[in-house]
C-alpha cells in the first residue's frame, strides 16, 4: 500500500477534488489505522489463549468470523472509511465483497496488485458499478452476514430490507448527520470561530462529522458572524493540487443545483448571505456561503447540506439548541463552545442522551481512532473504533468443559498435538 501512496493521493485529488494535504492525510491516517488494528488483533489473540474457570467449568473463549461481509464506503473518504472496515473484517477472518463508493473508485486500481498478492482468491471480491444495480441481488441472496455501509439512512434501510433473514444480518452503519455547533455567551470567540471554520468547511463541508448548523448566543452573534466572514473570505479556492487551497470543486453531479436551491429557499424565507463572495457558483464549484437569520422554516435548518454552506442561528436560551438536537432525526455529534460550568455541565448531561460524542471547545470529528465513533437515531448503527471494528466483524464462540482431570487431559492433548486451530494456545507475536 505504501508503495503506491503517490498514485492513490493523486487519484483522490483528481476524482473527488480533495486538497493534496487532506488527501495525503487520508492516506496516512488509514495506514496508521491499519497498523493499530493489527496491533489490536494480536493483543486480542494473546488474551484469548487464556482459559477461564467458573462454577466447576473451564472455558476458552475466542472470536470467530461471521461470514461474508459486504463493505460499502462513502465518496468523501473513499479510502479511509472503506479500509477501516474492510481490514478489520479481513483480519477477523471474514471474506469480503467490497463495493467502492460512487466516486473515489480509481484509487482502488493501484491497490489491486497488493490485494492479489496478499490474499487467496475469493477472499477480497471487488465489485464496481452502481450500488442499487450491483448489491441488491447480493443482499437478497441472504448470504451476507455483515453489512458495513456509510451513506444515507434510507439507503441502509433499503439494503437491509432486501435480506431475507434479518436476524442473520449484522449491520455497521455510518449515516446522515446534522451536527450543531453551540456557541455560548462566554465562549472564547477566536477559538469558537476557528473551530467552526474548520468544522464546517474542511473538504468543503463534505464530512459526515462536519458542523452543519451554528447556534450562536445572541450577545455574541454579530461579533461571531463578523469574524466568521473574515475567516471564510480568507479561505483559498482552487485546484486540489495548488498549495494552501481549502475550497475545491464538488464531485457530485447536480450538487451545486441542490446547494443553490437550499440558499434560494433560505433567502425567500428571510435569511441573508452574509459574506461578500457567498452564494456564487460555477459548474461544479460552490463558494463558501455564510447564511444568517436562519429559522426552522428553512430547508437548510433541517437538511444535511454536505457542502460549503454555513447556516447561523441566533439563540437567547440554551434550551433552543438543545430542543433542536432533541427534535432532530439525527444524533451523531455536537460541539459546545463556552466556559461556564453551570451551563456546560447540564448541557452535557442532556446531550449525552442524544449524540455519540460531545466536543468541548473543539470541532466535531471522528478521530482519534481509538475513540468510539457512533451515533443515535438516524445517524448510525453499531460503533467503530480500532477496538470496536474487530468486534463488529466477529462473534464469540467457546469450548467449555467440566473441570475433571479426564477432560483436562483431553484438552491438554489437543493443545500439545495441535489438532485444533480454535482450541489452541498459539498466538501471533
Ligand atoms: O465523513 C465522515 C468521516 O469519518 C469524518 O472523519 O471527522 O476525521 O473528518 P473526520
Amino acid at each position: 500500500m505504501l508503495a503506491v501512496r503517490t498514485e492513490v493521493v493523486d487519484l483522490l485529488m483528481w476524482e473527488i477534488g480533495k486538497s493534496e494535504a487532506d488527501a495525503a492525510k487520508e492516506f496516512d491516517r488509514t495506514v496508521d489505522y491499519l497498523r493499530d488494528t493489527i496491533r489490536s488483533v494480536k493483543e486480542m489473540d494473546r488474551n484469548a489463549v487464556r482459559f477461564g474457570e467458573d462454577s466447576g467449568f473451564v472455558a476458552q473463549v475466542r472470536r470467530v468470523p461471521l461470514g461474508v461481509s459486504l463493505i460499502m464506503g462513502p465518496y468523501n473518504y473513499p479510502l479511509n472509511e472503506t479500509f477501516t472496515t474492510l481490514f478489520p473484517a479481513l483480519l477477523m477472518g471474514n471474506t469480503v465483497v467490497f463495493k467502492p463508493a460512487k466516486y473515489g473508485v480509481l484509487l482502488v486500481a493501484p491497490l489491486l496488485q497488493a490485494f492479489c498478492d496478499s490474499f487467496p482468491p475469493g477472499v477480497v471480491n471487488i465489485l464496481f458499478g452502481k450500488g442499487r444495480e450491483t448489491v441488491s441481488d447480493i443482499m437478497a441472496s441472504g448470504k451476507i452476514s455483515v453489512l458495513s455501509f456509510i451513506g444515507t439512512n434510507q439507503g441502509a434501510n433499503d439494503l437491509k430490507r432486501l435480506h431475507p433473514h434479518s436476524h442473520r444480518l449484522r449491520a455497521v452503519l455510518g449515516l446522515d448527520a446534522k451536527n450543531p455547533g453551540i456557541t455560548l455567551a462566554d465562549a472564547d470567540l477566536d477559538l469558537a470561530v476557528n473551530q467552526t471554520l474548520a468544522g464546517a468547511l474542511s473538504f468543503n463541508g463534505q464530512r459526515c462529522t462536519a458542523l452543519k448548523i451554528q447556534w450562536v448566543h445572541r450577545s455574541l452573534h454579530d461579533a461571531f458572524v463578523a469574524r466568521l466572514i473574515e475567516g471564510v473570505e480568507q479561505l483559498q479556492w482552487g485546484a486540489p493540487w495548488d498549495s494552501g487551497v481549502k475550497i475545491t470543486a464538488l464531485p457530485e453531479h447536480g450538487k451545486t443545483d441542490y446547494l443553490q436551491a437550499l440558499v434560494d429557499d433560505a433567502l425567500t424565507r428571510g435569511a441573508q448571505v452574509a459574506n461578500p463572495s457567498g452564494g456564487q457558483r460555477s459548474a461544479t464549484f460552490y463558494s463558501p456561503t455564510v447564511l444568517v437569520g436562519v429559522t426552522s422554516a428553512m430547508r437548510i435548518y433541517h437538511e444535511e447540506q454536505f457542502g460549503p454552506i454555513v447556516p447561523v442561528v441566533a439563540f437567547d436560551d440554551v434550551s433552543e439548541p438543545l430542543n433542536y438536537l432533541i427534535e432532530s432525526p439525527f444524533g451523531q455529534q455536537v460541539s459546545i463552545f463556552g466556559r461556564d460550568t453551570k451551563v456546560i455541565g447540564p448541557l452535557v448531561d442532556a446531550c449525552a442522551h442524544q449524540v455519540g460524542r460531545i466536543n468541548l471547545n473543539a470541532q466535531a470529528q471522528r478521530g482519534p481512532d481509538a475513540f468510539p465513533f457512533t451515533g443515535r437515531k438516524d445517524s448510525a448503527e453499531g460503533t467503530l473504533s480500532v477496538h470496536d471494528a474487530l468486534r463488529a466483524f466477529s462473534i464469540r464462540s467457546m469450548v467449555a468443559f467440566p473441570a475433571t482431570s479426564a477432560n483436562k487431559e483431553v484438552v491438554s492433548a489437543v493443545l500439545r498435538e495441535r489438532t485444533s486451530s480454535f482450541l489452541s494456545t498459539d498466538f501471533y507475536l
Side-chain angles (χ1 to χ4, degrees):
M1 203 179 156
L2 286 170
V4 293
R5 180 178 185 274
T6 310
E7 287 96 310
V8 172
V9 169
D10 277 354
L11 290 167
L12 274 166
M13 284 193 278
W14 277 97
E15 198 177 354
I16 60 164
K18 191 167 271 198
S19 71
E20 186 166 19
D22 284 348
K25 195 163 138 200
E26 177 168 351
F27 186 95
D28 295 339
R29 170 182 176 183
T30 306
V31 172
D32 288 345
Y33 189 104
L34 301 187
R35 288 203 167 111
D36 289 345
T37 301
I38 291 167
R39 241 192 312 275
S40 191
V41 164
K42 288 180 176 176
E43 194 187 320
M44 188 191 276
D45 204 48
R46 282 179 211 131
N47 292 334
V49 298
R50 293 193 199 116
F51 285 76
E53 188 163 359
D54 194 359
S55 310
F57 279 88
V58 178
Q60 189 189 35
V61 183
R62 309 197 84 146
R63 298 199 78 91
V64 291
L66 285 158
V68 183
S69 302
L70 175 60
I71 311 284
M72 298 173 72
Y75 78 81
N76 62 333
Y77 278 93
L79 179 72
N80 184 265
E81 295 242 23
T82 36
F83 277 39
T84 53
T85 49
L86 178 87
F87 274 82
L90 286 171
L91 284 167
M92 292 315 293
N94 302 274
T95 54
V96 300
V97 178
F98 158 36
K99 220 286 294 146
K102 58 180 171 179
Y103 314 110
V105 180
L106 297 175
L107 66 90
V108 178
L111 296 162
L112 289 175
Q113 193 57 49
F115 280 122
C116 197
D117 295 343
S118 309
F119 299 101
V123 174
V124 183
N125 305 278
I126 306 180
L127 195 64
F128 297 98
K130 283 196 172 160
R132 305 237 165 205
E133 289 161 18
T134 49
V135 298
S136 297
D137 288 345
I138 293 178
M139 284 301 288
S141 75
K143 292 181 179 168
I144 295 297
S145 300
V146 192
L147 169 66
S148 166
F149 174 83
I150 317 283
T152 64
N153 71 86
Q154 292 102 312
N157 282 330
D158 291 349
L159 279 174
K160 281 178 77 175
R161 261 190 229 110
L162 292 171
H163 199 291
H165 314 289
S166 55
H167 59 281
R168 292 194 197 174
L169 181 70
R170 184 177 292 180
V172 188
L173 311 173
L175 308 170
D176 324 57
K178 183 85 177 172
N179 297 336
I182 305 176
T183 300
L184 301 172
D186 67 341
D188 173 335
L189 203 53
D190 282 335
L191 182 140
V193 169
N194 288 338
Q195 289 296 303
T196 301
L197 268 174
L201 291 171
S202 299
F203 191 34
N204 315 307
Q206 299 169 117
R207 294 161 58 230
C208 62
T209 46
L211 290 177
K212 296 187 180 114
I213 185 160
Q214 320 309 323
W215 289 81
V216 182
H217 192 269
R218 201 173 299 279
S219 62
L220 274 189
H221 176 271
D222 292 354
F224 179 98
V225 170
R227 289 199 202 187
L228 186 65
I229 292 170
E230 214 177 290
V232 168
E233 293 296 312
Q234 277 169 16
L235 296 174
Q236 201 179 315
W237 309 351
W241 41 85
D242 293 340
S243 90
V245 157
K246 299 281 185 210
I247 304 291
T248 56
L250 309 170
E252 259 184 307
H253 183 68
K255 185 62 184 260
T256 54
D257 294 339
Y258 171 70
L259 295 173
Q260 190 61 52
L262 289 182
V263 170
D264 289 345
D265 168 78
L267 297 182
T268 318
R269 293 168 202 281
Q272 292 111 42
V273 171
N275 57 316
S277 62
Q280 297 177 47
R281 66 172 166 159
S282 169
T284 56
F285 183 86
Y286 204 88
S287 68
T289 301
V290 178
L291 278 178
V292 292
V294 168
T295 69
S296 61
M298 302 166 190
R299 287 174 59 193
I300 189 68
Y301 183 93
H302 306 279
E303 293 179 31
E304 180 179 11
Q305 63 271 40
F306 217 76
I309 302 177
V310 191
V312 182
V313 188
F315 73 89
D316 296 298
D317 191 278
V318 78
S319 62
E320 296 167 53
L322 182 56
N323 283 334
Y324 176 81
L325 207 55
I326 292 168
E327 282 156 21
S328 169
F330 312 121
Q332 193 199 61
Q333 299 194 19
V334 62
S335 286
I336 301 171
F337 301 102
R339 289 178 273 218
D340 184 347
T341 50
K342 290 200 175 57
V343 181
I344 291 176
L347 188 55
V348 164
D349 290 352
C351 290
H353 297 278
Q354 301 297 325
V355 296
R357 174 166 168 163
I358 301 153
N359 301 281
L360 288 181
N361 293 315
Q363 63 158 314
Q365 57 201 300
R366 174 172 174 164
D369 289 318
F371 290 172
F373 180 48
T374 184
R376 308 288 290 269
K377 299 189 264 188
D378 289 346
S379 285
E381 181 173 344
T383 302
L384 288 173
S385 72
V386 169
H387 172 94
D388 290 293
L390 293 170
R391 283 151 184 86
F393 288 97
S394 60
I395 188 164
R396 284 177 297 176
S397 185
M398 68 176 188
V399 177
F401 51 92
T404 62
S405 48
N407 282 336
K408 286 181 184 172
E409 260 172 50
V410 171
V411 172
S412 295
V414 169
L415 298 178
R416 204 171 43 246
E417 294 160 19
R418 292 196 163 85
T419 54
S420 166
S421 52
F422 182 93
L423 185 58
S424 163
T425 48
D426 291 343
F427 57 86
Y428 292 110
L429 276 174

